[in-house]
Amino acid sequence: MKKRGHLMKVTSRFFIAFLSSVFLFAFLILLTLRLTLFSENYIAKQAAKADYYTELTEEINRQIENSSLGSNIPKGVLDQAISKEVVKIDVDKYFQAMYNTGTKYEISDESKIHEAVSKAITDYMKEKQIQVTPESELAVTGLSDNAVKIYKGYIELPFLVSYGRKVMNYKSKLVLFMVICGVLWALLSFSLYSSLRGYVHRLLRYWAYIWVGSGLMMAVVPGIILLQGSLKKLGIQSKAMYDFIQTYLSSFLWLFIVIGLISIAAGIIFGVLSEVKRKQLFST
């Protein structure tokens, strides 16, 4: 009976430790999601890291330039019509609209795009001493209008706005679940401490198991995904968008790994402290 009672105690402690590990794992996942998918600043940082603004500017100018070739506007005239600064302003505003449901997105100033393209073509005509006629003015206006459409098409991506707003609908719930998981982990830790008769070194040993286990669960799966190179197989034609999405997802997975490694390191520290406390206890 004594052995059976001891076995029941050990089993119950490991069960509490298992539940504690599950709630800690859930807390770490929710924390990572809060720092990434639910953060407007995070997506802007990844855009800068992927050099999205520069690459997108180049793609927009290239597309505007290609669309004007049929109107006898040679290459080089419109390759810098749109500046990176303008693109960055509008992309950042677009990110804000993604994460703020009540915000309606509009590009900063269509007239600036229109005027920039018109000026580039007009300067070219003056340089080549091409006579300005009502027909040529109408053609320039048409090319400028088309440039605005191309610009808006690259900046405004409806699926990103819908994604961002759907995500933000769950922000308050995520924070609530994160708090619940943290509280449950604390309560289970207290319950485990009570079942260990107040021996701190034993609690630290169980914490070592819990934190290392949760850290491994956080790090292993994202590590496998990165090693397999699945992100490189994304079917996105736009190089700017491809690099941006790949950087965003890679950073997202790496954050899981980093938090997992921090959890493992914390577990190792708890293990060392447990051994120190045990030696101190039995040496007195």
Side-chain angles (χ1 to χ4, degrees):
M1 289 294 292
K2 192 174 182 180
K3 287 184 178 180
R4 186 177 178 183
H6 177 71
L7 181 62
M8 288 293 292
K9 287 182 179 180
V10 172
T11 303
S12 65
R13 288 168 186 167
F14 272 104
F15 180 69
I16 293 172
F18 169 73
L19 288 179
S20 182
S21 180
V22 169
F23 285 115
L24 177 61
F25 175 55
F27 174 83
L28 294 177
I29 287 179
L30 295 173
L31 175 64
T32 307
L33 293 176
R34 176 64 186 85
L35 295 174
T36 53
L37 298 182
F38 290 82
S39 173
E40 177 187 329
N41 293 330
Y42 180 78
I43 194 171
K45 286 180 181 178
Q46 297 313 306
K49 183 179 177 181
D51 206 14
Y52 179 61
Y53 304 111
T54 300
E55 291 188 2
L56 185 62
T57 302
E58 291 175 355
E59 283 193 15
I60 291 171
N61 282 322
R62 191 182 306 119
Q63 187 61 33
I64 291 174
E65 185 179 57
N66 290 339
S67 69
S68 67
L69 293 177
S71 300
N72 295 322
I73 305 297
K75 286 189 175 182
V77 175
L78 296 173
D79 60 343
Q80 295 182 355
I82 310 301
S83 69
K84 175 184 173 181
E85 289 72 23
V86 172
V87 171
K88 186 178 186 305
I89 290 171
D90 283 331
V91 170
D92 287 343
K93 283 180 62 179
Y94 187 75
F95 289 154
Q96 291 174 7
M98 283 175 57
Y99 287 90
N100 295 278
T101 308
T103 304
K104 184 179 179 182
Y105 174 76
E106 292 180 354
I107 64 172
S108 54
D109 194 346
E110 291 186 18
S111 62
K112 285 184 179 180
I113 310 300
H114 197 283
E115 288 173 8
V117 175
S118 295
K119 184 177 184 304
I121 298 174
T122 303
D123 289 346
Y124 165 75
M125 292 174 67
K126 287 180 180 178
E127 181 185 345
K128 298 299 181 181
Q129 296 181 347
I130 299 173
Q131 186 178 3
V132 178
T133 65
E135 290 77 13
S136 64
E137 289 181 347
L138 187 63
V140 171
T141 301
L143 290 172
S144 301
D145 289 341
N146 187 53
V148 172
K149 290 180 182 178
I150 291 171
Y151 180 83
K152 292 175 70 175
Y154 272 91
I155 301 294
E156 299 176 5
L157 301 172
F159 71 91
L160 277 182
V161 168
S162 60
Y163 154 77
R165 291 182 176 177
K166 284 179 181 177
V167 164
M168 293 308 290
N169 287 335
Y170 295 96
K171 183 177 180 179
S172 58
K173 293 180 181 178
L174 179 136
V175 174
L176 176 62
F177 284 131
M178 189 167 67
V179 171
I180 290 172
C181 289
V183 171
L184 287 174
W185 176 80
L187 290 175
L188 286 168
S189 294
F190 179 76
S191 176
L192 186 62
Y193 177 69
S194 299
S195 71
L196 294 170
R197 298 178 181 178
Y199 285 104
V200 176
H201 74 281
R202 291 181 179 177
L203 176 63
L204 291 172
R205 189 197 316 154
Y206 275 98
W207 273 3
Y209 301 148
I210 291 167
W211 283 81
V212 169
S214 298
L216 286 172
M217 288 189 287
M218 285 287 292
V220 170
V221 175
I224 291 173
I225 293 173
L226 288 171
L227 287 174
Q228 287 178 340
S230 303
L231 299 182
K232 295 181 180 180
K233 300 175 183 178
L234 296 172
I236 301 175
Q237 293 182 347
S238 168
K239 185 179 184 302
M241 181 58 67
Y242 173 85
D243 290 343
F244 169 50
I245 295 297
Q246 190 178 66
T247 300
Y248 182 88
L249 294 177
S250 295
S251 179
F252 173 68
L253 293 174
W254 269 111
L255 188 58
F256 269 89
I257 294 172
V258 169
I259 291 179
L261 292 176
I262 292 173
S263 179
I264 292 171
I268 293 172
I269 292 172
F270 286 136
V272 172
L273 290 175
S274 172
E275 188 62 19
V276 171
K277 287 285 186 182
R278 187 188 67 82
K279 288 181 179 180
Q280 290 176 348
L281 180 65
F282 291 105
S283 63
T284 56

